[in-house]
């Protein structure tokens, strides 16, 4: 995949059993989308059986370079369906100091995750955006999200440098439907919080909008 690629995904199942590779790492400027009508493409499944150790189905990694204008829409992400096994999360966004994620669009997707990686707060949410002395901007909008015990959508920032800032003022989280169909109790549907990185001062700006979820 290279910048400005547009990947049109046809309806069907794209699992580890048919030799799909996970996580799917999306670089700068790539769009991946399902059809505008018909069934959503099914992304994931069978990672445990095929001994794939990925903890996320899609990864946006801005720990070594900036990432901008990634779009993911109209896809259905599948966790594992067996009790007691690890289930990869739908989306993981990682950002570290000196780099940014901007223009992220994650919309009109369905994220199923029957079982999480670890119990309670030790597990991962279904969608994770994490910045260390960095931040992210874009939109997470109009998705159906199955929450784990940890939660559905989590935005976390850490500052471990004296001049560090975790900035999410350009992030919009709107019109998502978050539920927990597994019958257990989720800690939160949507979480935005800071982590103690040991800096004497903590500067973290919040999402532009968390609305109508």
């Amino acid at each position: 995949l290279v910048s400005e690629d547009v990947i049109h995904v046809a309806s069907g199942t794209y699992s580890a059993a048919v030799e799909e590779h996970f996580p799917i790492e999306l670089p700068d400027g790539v769009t991946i989308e399902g059809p505008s009508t018909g069934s959503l493409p099914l992304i994931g499944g069978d990672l445990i059986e095929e001994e794939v150790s990925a903890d996320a189905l899609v990864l946006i990694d801005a720990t070594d370079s900036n990432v901008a204008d990634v779009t993911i829409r109209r896809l259905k992400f599948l966790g594992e369906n067996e009790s007691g096994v690890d289930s990869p999360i739908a989306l993981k966004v990682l950002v570290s100091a000196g780099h940014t994620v901007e223009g992220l669009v994650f919309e009109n997707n369905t994220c199923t995750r029957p079982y999480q990686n670890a119990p309670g707060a030790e597990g991962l949410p279904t969608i994770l955006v994490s910045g260390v002395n960095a931040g992210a901007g874009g939109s997470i909008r109009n998705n159906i999200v199955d929450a784990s015990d940890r939660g559905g959508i989590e935005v976390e920032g850490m500052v471990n440098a004296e001049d560090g800032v975790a900035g999410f003022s350009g992030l919009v989280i709107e019109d998502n439907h978050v539920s927990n169909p597994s019958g257990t109790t989720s800690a939160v549907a949507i979480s935005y919080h800071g982590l103690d990185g040991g800096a004497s001062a903590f500067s973290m700006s919040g999402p532009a909008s968390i609305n109508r979820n």
Side-chain angles (χ1 to χ4, degrees), residues 124-142:
L124 294 174
T126 305
I127 296 172
L128 174 64
V129 180
S130 179
V132 180
N133 303 322
S139 63
I140 300 172
R141 180 179 283 125
N142 200 35

Side-chain angles (χ1 to χ4, degrees), residues 95-98 130-135 155-168 192-206:
V95 198
S96 64
S130 179
V132 180
N133 303 322
V155 179
E156 64 178 21
M158 177 185 289
V159 174
N160 58 16
E162 297 307 314
D163 58 350
V165 176
F168 299 97
Y192 165 68
H193 62 96
L195 302 174
D196 183 5
S200 59
F202 189 95
S203 178
M204 182 173 176
S205 61

Side-chain angles (χ1 to χ4, degrees), residues 30-180:
V30 168
T31 293
I32 179 170
E33 60 185 12
S36 57
T37 60
S39 301
L40 297 179
L42 306 181
I43 310 297
D46 300 318
L47 275 74
I48 303 304
E49 183 176 341
E50 299 298 322
E51 299 182 350
V52 177
S53 60
D55 63 0
L57 298 176
V58 174
L59 173 65
I60 298 174
D61 187 349
T63 57
D64 292 322
S65 61
N66 297 338
V67 177
D69 302 324
V70 171
T71 297
I72 305 158
R73 62 165 66 99
R74 297 191 299 271
L75 303 173
K76 183 173 183 179
F77 296 97
L78 300 175
E80 301 298 326
N81 292 308
E82 299 178 40
S83 177
V85 300
D86 285 353
S87 181
I89 73 176
L91 173 67
K92 179 188 280 188
V93 180
L94 301 177
V95 198
S96 64
H99 305 295
T100 61
V101 168
E102 297 295 342
L104 167 67
V105 176
F106 188 84
E107 63 183 12
N108 301 318
N109 301 293
T110 296
C111 307
T112 63
R113 191 160 180 247
Y115 301 98
Q116 66 176 58
N117 299 72
E122 296 179 2
L124 294 174
T126 305
I127 296 172
L128 174 64
V129 180
S130 179
V132 180
N133 303 322
S139 63
I140 300 172
R141 180 179 283 125
N142 200 35
N143 301 286
I144 298 172
V145 180
D146 287 356
S148 65
D149 289 354
R150 172 84 179 208
I153 303 170
E154 182 173 341
V155 179
E156 64 178 21
M158 177 185 289
V159 174
N160 58 16
E162 297 307 314
D163 58 350
V165 176
F168 299 97
S169 59
L171 186 63
V172 173
I173 303 172
E174 292 182 340
D175 300 311
N176 300 285
H177 182 269
V178 183
S179 63
N180 187 349

